[in-house]
Amino acid sequence: MSQKMLYDWRQPVTPRSLALWFLSTAAPAPLRTATLIGRAAIFAIEPAAMRVALGRLVRERMAVQPERGVYALGPAAAALHVRARGWTRAEERVRAWDGAWVVVLTHHLGRTDRSRLTVRERALRLAGLAAAGPGVWVRPDNLTVAVREEARGLGLEEQAIVMTACRAAPEQDAAFRALWPAAALETAYRYWLTEMAASTERLTNATAIDAARETYLLGQSVLRAINSDPMLPEELVDAALRARMVAAMKRYNAMALGWWDQVR
């Protein structure tokens, strides 16, 4: 993804992403089709487009239809939902780092099944791992959660080999530390802090619909940044700056929910 796309939070949203967000926000409660269509109208999405998106989500088991005209989050979205809702406790997942590594080996799983490979690598990246070589993925062993269970919940195969508390030789340790773009991560933290501050000021006199639309667009972009962040230790990135971004998002989210309450 280009830097331009990364920061272009005003780009149009898709019916699918909106439907998933609405269902995730309401979960475990279901939502009526009319409610989903009404909220989508804020983003100029036609009713037919929302109905098509909902039908596809049901076929993918990302959504379920407990009764006619009613939708709820589906089983295939469960792990992503838990992770997405856990952003407020992101910093609680990090502990002091003693220099050890988590190493995941996937070379024996093969690469011929492209869809399986896509799911695998997405799960590894969401768990904060970086590719260190063919079939070798690593991350600092600095999380309070079990990386093995988190990655498997996101789609990593049971057959993957996961090793924790691994020590690397000095030259390999230095190579591992360079796998993450620390400067780019810190630039993003500063960018989102600036954008949230500017949006908060800009929306002071906005209409409820305009504010709901903007807080969704910007808020989802910040949440994607938080949920995809590798949560590196302070030895590798400015962790205090990251914590400031998360704290600012909590305040921004509270404001956003207030706007959305006015248009629901």
Side-chain angles (χ1 to χ4, degrees):
M1 180 179 293
S2 70
Q3 288 293 97
K4 184 176 185 297
M5 290 181 64
L6 175 66
Y7 294 140
D8 188 12
W9 59 265
R10 294 178 180 85
Q11 59 187 311
V13 296
T14 65
R16 175 191 173 87
S17 63
L18 267 182
L20 277 174
W21 182 70
F22 292 144
L23 294 175
S24 180
T25 302
L31 291 174
R32 296 196 171 278
T33 308
T35 300
L36 291 161
I37 288 174
R39 294 180 183 176
I42 294 173
F43 300 87
I45 290 176
E46 296 294 328
M50 180 55 75
R51 289 193 178 94
V52 169
L54 289 167
R56 288 175 177 167
L57 289 173
V58 169
R59 289 194 293 275
E60 296 167 9
R61 300 178 67 243
M62 299 291 283
V64 294
Q65 198 170 10
E67 59 182 279
R68 184 178 177 82
V70 175
Y71 293 86
L73 203 65
L80 292 175
H81 170 66
V82 170
R83 182 178 180 84
R85 293 294 291 270
W87 69 268
T88 58
R89 299 183 300 278
E91 291 297 329
E92 297 174 21
R93 301 172 65 240
V94 180
R95 59 177 171 80
W97 187 42
D98 64 0
W101 299 90
V102 174
V103 178
V104 179
L105 304 180
T106 63
H107 59 281
H108 59 295
L109 300 178
R111 299 178 59 86
T112 55
D113 186 336
R114 302 303 298 177
S115 61
R116 183 64 256 167
L117 179 63
T118 298
V119 171
R120 177 193 308 154
E121 294 190 347
R122 181 173 182 271
L124 289 163
R125 290 193 177 94
L126 282 175
L129 290 113
V136 180
W137 295 73
V138 300
R139 68 153 296 122
D141 196 353
N142 70 315
L143 299 182
T144 60
V145 297
V147 173
R148 175 186 285 104
E149 301 310 317
E150 181 169 79
R152 286 177 176 168
L154 293 166
L156 179 66
E157 298 96 325
E158 291 285 336
Q159 296 82 1
I161 299 170
V162 182
M163 300 177 289
T164 61
C166 298
R167 297 288 173 177
E171 63 277 8
Q172 193 63 65
D173 185 86
F176 286 172
R177 288 170 181 254
L179 290 174
W180 290 269
L185 287 169
E186 292 166 3
T187 295
Y189 301 156
R190 295 187 187 95
Y191 176 82
W192 295 125
L193 279 165
T194 299
E195 289 297 294
M196 285 187 282
S199 177
T200 299
E201 182 176 354
R202 183 166 54 244
L203 296 178
T204 302
N205 299 312
T207 66
I209 287 179
D210 286 344
R213 184 188 303 113
E214 178 165 325
T215 54
Y216 170 83
L217 293 172
L218 177 54
Q220 287 299 294
S221 293
V222 180
L223 290 182
R224 280 193 293 273
I226 295 173
N227 286 325
S228 63
D229 193 275
M231 304 307 292
L232 300 173
E234 60 184 11
E235 289 86 351
L236 301 186
V237 76
D238 189 340
L241 184 61
R242 180 185 65 216
R244 281 179 53 204
M245 180 187 68
V246 174
M249 181 57 203
K250 291 179 183 178
R251 296 190 295 272
Y252 190 79
N253 186 61
M255 179 189 72
L257 292 176
W259 286 116
W260 274 94
D261 282 342
Q262 296 181 44
V263 300
R264 284 174 180 171

